[in-house]
Amino acid sequence: MTQEFYKEAIQHPIFKLIGETSQELDTDSFVIGGFVRDYLLKRGTPKDIDIVVIGNGIELAKKVASKLKGKPQVSIFKNFGTAMIKYQELELEFVGARKESYHHDSRKPVVEDGSLEDDQNRRDFTINAMAFSLNQSSYGQLLDPFDGLGDLEKKLIRTPLEPGITYSDDPLRMMRAIRFATQLDFTIELKSLQSITENKDRIKIISKERIVDELHKIILSKKPSIGFKLLHQTGLLPIILPELTALQGIEEIEGQRHKDNFWHTLEVVDNISENTDDLWLRWAALLHDIGKAPTKRFHKKIGWTFHAHEFVGSKMVYKLFKRLRMPLNDKMKFVQKMVLMSSRPIVLSEDHITDSAVRRLVFDAGEYVEDLMTLCEADITTKNPRKQRKYKNNFQIVRKKIVEVEERDHVRNFQPPVSGEEIMQVFNLKPSKEIGIIKEAIKEAILEGEIPNEYEAAYQFMLDKGKKMNLKIS
Ligand code: ATP
Ligand code: MG
């Protein structure tokens, strides 16, 4: 192995301190994993730093913390033999070097103390197994037993040991391989890819939370389709997100075809990723068509239909989140709302774009109208340049109209200009359905543009409506 040194990577005084402290404890320590990889990739120097110690990680962490300004707290995870210090903007994780051996009938490895090499052997990928020495005699030296550096250049995801062993020992690594391939735009070595395919069913023993963490990272990558294609290719996708796999395929009956909604969806996700970093809006793009699989029908006269797929899809979002143990909170509701409304702007832009239709869109989408437009623009995947231009242009018109209508009518966070109490007082009513009818009529009149969204106009409208309903003014 050539001796390469990267002292400039570990200029931060904390590294020197860790090196000196481990020397006092008569042991060696190294920075390892993501920090080294990202530094060598020129992705910057990450704030998460993993330190491996040939000895006791917790002891070293305590001693380092005691020397730091402000004596930061050490969080100890005894079960894992790790300790964490938050210092300035850094998160330092200390672990003793270990040797792991797995038995097929258990996911829990037998862990023993080990050497640096043992520790590097148990790491998932060659590019994640590289370390920089923090020891005085070799400060900054790169320790790279599996030629991770070469793999960085080749843009290759490769396991240090036999892939079959690596993935079977910890099936989460299958998700990690695909996640790193997506984040870094790397290729997974063929042997590895085959092994993931063979071991795909073992993903079932991994907790949903950890799978979802990796999915989030794939979705947040620059080009998420890389990851979804790999999930699809290896057969992991039908296990994790069968709703997406179900969108695959083109059917043809009597010469009528529909598009392949799986590949379309991946394009939409890539498109939206150019315009937003919002995880949940990206999830919405991923799921916007899932209702199309169960609603697909063929009609002799009109061809393929996906009737009410938006509604069905939004219901499926709930089940999917629940199955993956994702929180059933406002984020989920947001995704549901985007799926439910995902065809609205398109339908609107196909027609002559009226103010009242735009007002209804803004009313229904509320604060999320911008996000909805972003989703719908990403949904344009036609390869026909004329259609492409037409749709984009129409969406520009819709966007302009949204601004105009909003300035005039303020329906985005609609509050009824006349309250139920006021209606009760004016007509001397007890709580009753008449009040609901009048309120609804006022709202409709505003959305239709018959009256402006203002108190005076709404009050007058209420009086007229009451009269028509034979109500007496008290
Ligand atoms: P990022 O922080 O960007 O996700 P990372 O490489 O730092 O990337 P972490 O999950 O923080 O990933 O893990 C730190 C290091 O621990 C990795 O670089 C790798 O060496 C090792 N590692 C993490 N998870 C596993 C695993 N499941 N199997 C083997 N080694 C792992
Ligand atoms: Mg990390």
Side-chain angles (χ1 to χ4, degrees), residues 7 93 127-128 148 169 205 239 324:
K7 289 198 180 117
E93 180 132 9
I127 59 168
N128 285 347
D169 279 354
I205 65 172
I239 305 173
L324 292 178

Side-chain angles (χ1 to χ4, degrees), residues 32-35 37-38 43 48 50 100 102 122-125 127-129 170 172-173 176 179-180 183 210 214 217:
I32 194 162
F35 180 93
R37 179 197 67 224
D38 287 350
R43 287 175 103 207
D48 293 20
D50 294 290
E100 283 179 357
Y102 288 79
R122 72 172 183 90
R123 304 236 160 212
D124 48 5
F125 307 112
I127 59 168
N128 285 347
D170 177 2
L172 181 72
R173 293 169 183 162
R176 286 175 59 89
R179 185 258 287 193
F180 284 117
Q183 284 181 324
R210 298 181 78 192
E214 298 300 326
K217 288 180 182 173

Side-chain angles (χ1 to χ4, degrees), residues 35-89:
F35 180 93
V36 180
R37 179 197 67 224
D38 287 350
Y39 175 80
L40 295 171
L41 278 172
K42 304 195 168 52
R43 287 175 103 207
T45 43
K47 305 294 168 218
D48 293 20
I49 299 171
D50 294 290
I51 306 287
V52 63
V53 195
I54 315 307
N56 189 328
I58 298 174
E59 195 188 349
L60 177 62
K62 283 184 179 164
K63 192 149 186 178
V64 168
S66 73
K67 294 182 183 179
L68 287 171
K69 219 178 9 202
K71 302 217 180 340
Q73 209 189 324
V74 184
S75 319
I76 294 170
F77 308 94
K78 228 178 171 155
N79 291 345
F80 300 100
T82 64
M84 206 258 284
I85 304 175
K86 284 194 176 164
Y87 175 64
Q88 295 171 350
E89 76 287 1

Side-chain angles (χ1 to χ4, degrees), residues 177-232:
I178 292 175
R179 185 258 287 193
F180 284 117
T182 315
Q183 284 181 324
L184 305 175
D185 194 11
F186 274 32
T187 311
I188 301 175
E189 191 192 33
L190 188 60
K191 233 176 16 163
S192 232
L193 211 52
Q194 285 164 344
S195 174
I196 295 175
T197 311
E198 278 159 27
N199 283 288
K200 61 174 190 286
D201 286 308
R202 283 184 66 74
I203 198 67
K204 291 176 189 157
I205 65 172
I206 299 296
S207 78
K208 301 286 194 315
E209 288 81 356
R210 298 181 78 192
I211 294 175
V212 167
D213 274 348
E214 298 300 326
L215 273 180
H216 285 338
K217 288 180 182 173
I218 292 171
I219 293 174
L220 283 174
S221 301
K222 189 158 174 264
K223 201 171 170 201
S225 66
I226 298 174
F228 286 99
K229 283 176 191 170
L230 289 167
L231 290 170
H232 177 62

Side-chain angles (χ1 to χ4, degrees), residues 107 113 154 157 163 182 213 257 271 275 299 334 340 344 351 375 396 402 453:
R107 266 196 304 136
D113 291 346
K154 288 182 227 140
I157 307 287
T182 315
D213 274 348
R257 289 153 65 100
N271 284 347
N275 293 317
H299 299 269
F334 166 76
L340 182 64
R344 287 277 298 276
D351 268 355
L375 172 60
Q396 279 315 109
I402 289 174
N453 186 13

